[in-house]
Amino acid sequence: MSFDVSWFAVRSYAMDRPPVFLASLDRKGIAIQARRNGSSDVSMSRIAPLEFQFRIHGCEDQDFGNHYCVVIPWVRSAAGIWQQEMEIRSKPVFVTVKMDVLNAFKFPLLIGIGLATLIGLLSCLIGYCSSRWCCKKEVQETRRERRRLMSMEMD
């Protein structure tokens, strides 16, 4: 026994349109993938004699909707001829894509705060060192400045 397995998606915003072909794996093990416009990618594999796996990597908003597979069994007769049986359709699996804002921005935010703190401390250190040693001017005091004020009363 051998199987042709195909995966399809019905987009929730386009219920009146035909299903979109995603990928297939035929009975000889040849994989066919549909051309995709987004950055998401798909993979498929046979993990057991009667079990197939389909994965969507890097999901985007356009990947949401009902996904299902169609299996066509092929049975080999006693004479060695392959015969196609009726196709079997799985129950649809609804896929939603939600972006987790906290996880998406956690590392860039921590890196940004850390770098900003480091650069701020470094600039304070450079300013302190340059004012302490590089820009120091020695001021000579004049004789007049050392004197205290004298009373100027005239008798």
Side-chain angles (χ1 to χ4, degrees):
M1 181 174 261
S2 191
F3 302 99
D4 283 345
V5 183
S6 301
W7 288 273
F8 296 92
V10 177
R11 308 292 184 218
S12 294
Y13 57 83
M15 295 297 271
D16 57 338
R17 294 187 184 164
V20 177
F21 171 75
L22 299 173
S24 70
L25 189 62
D26 70 1
R27 62 188 169 123
K28 296 175 185 174
I30 299 172
I32 300 170
Q33 290 186 3
R35 185 177 300 241
R36 301 180 61 80
N37 293 332
S39 64
S40 63
D41 197 16
V42 297
S43 67
M44 57 208 140
S45 59
R46 184 177 189 164
I47 56 177
L50 297 174
E51 191 173 348
F52 295 87
Q53 184 178 50
F54 179 74
R55 291 184 178 181
I56 302 174
H57 308 278
C59 290
E60 293 182 343
D61 289 339
Q62 66 185 13
D63 292 320
F64 82 99
N66 288 318
H67 291 68
Y68 65 92
C69 74
V70 174
V71 178
I72 301 172
W74 289 80
V75 179
R76 183 180 249 173
S77 66
I81 299 171
W82 288 99
Q83 294 179 343
Q84 181 179 350
E85 299 294 321
M86 280 184 49
E87 71 177 35
I88 304 165
R89 183 175 169 175
S90 70
K91 293 180 182 177
V93 175
F94 187 70
V95 175
T96 61
V97 180
K98 294 180 182 176
M99 186 172 126
D100 188 8
V101 177
L102 179 63
N103 286 335
F105 294 117
K106 183 177 10 179
F107 291 114
L109 186 64
L110 290 175
I111 291 170
I113 290 172
L115 286 175
T117 304
L118 182 68
I119 290 171
L121 290 174
L122 183 65
S123 65
C124 288
L125 181 67
I126 290 171
Y128 175 75
C129 291
S130 65
S131 68
R132 187 87 173 148
W133 291 294
C134 297
C135 302
K136 190 174 185 181
K137 290 185 181 178
E138 293 183 22
V139 179
Q140 294 180 355
E141 296 179 18
T142 61
R143 195 170 186 196
R144 181 172 218 140
E145 292 173 343
R146 276 192 248 154
R147 287 192 231 160
R148 293 186 179 172
L149 291 176
M150 299 170 56
S151 65
M152 300 289 263
E153 291 181 10
M154 306 230 343
D155 289 331

